[in-house]
Amino acid sequence: MFITLTNSSPDFRGHKVSIRKDLIVTIHRNTVTREDGVIEDVTFVYGPPHGTWEVSETLEEVVEMLK
């Protein structure tokens, strides 16, 4: 089963990404400062060995999708 999230990294902002639920290990929300100085809140979804995705959905929204 997959969940579909909205990418928030600058190069792929707004693009959808589908991630297998059973690959997700951790989720956390934090504030980041982009290279252009823009400050924004993003949710980090970590799934080894692939790495971390930055998404625009809140931590609570991602957790709800995983239920």
Side-chain angles (χ1 to χ4, degrees):
M1 173 91 41
F2 288 82
I3 60 171
T4 300
L5 303 167
T6 308
N7 202 315
S8 67
S9 67
D11 292 340
F12 301 100
R13 185 178 317 279
H15 292 248
K16 296 294 184 179
V17 58
S18 291
I19 304 169
R20 271 188 22 206
K21 288 181 174 185
D22 62 335
L23 292 179
I24 296 173
V25 175
T26 61
I27 308 160
H28 73 278
R29 186 120 174 124
N30 206 348
T31 302
V32 296
T33 303
R34 302 294 186 192
E35 288 183 19
D36 61 3
V38 172
I39 298 171
E40 62 182 318
D41 291 327
V42 299
T43 302
F44 296 91
V45 178
Y46 176 65
H50 307 289
T52 302
W53 289 271
E54 296 179 20
V55 299
S56 58
E57 288 79 10
T58 65
L59 183 139
E60 294 80 12
E61 290 172 321
V62 175
V63 169
E64 188 62 33
M65 289 180 196
L66 291 172
K67 289 183 179 178

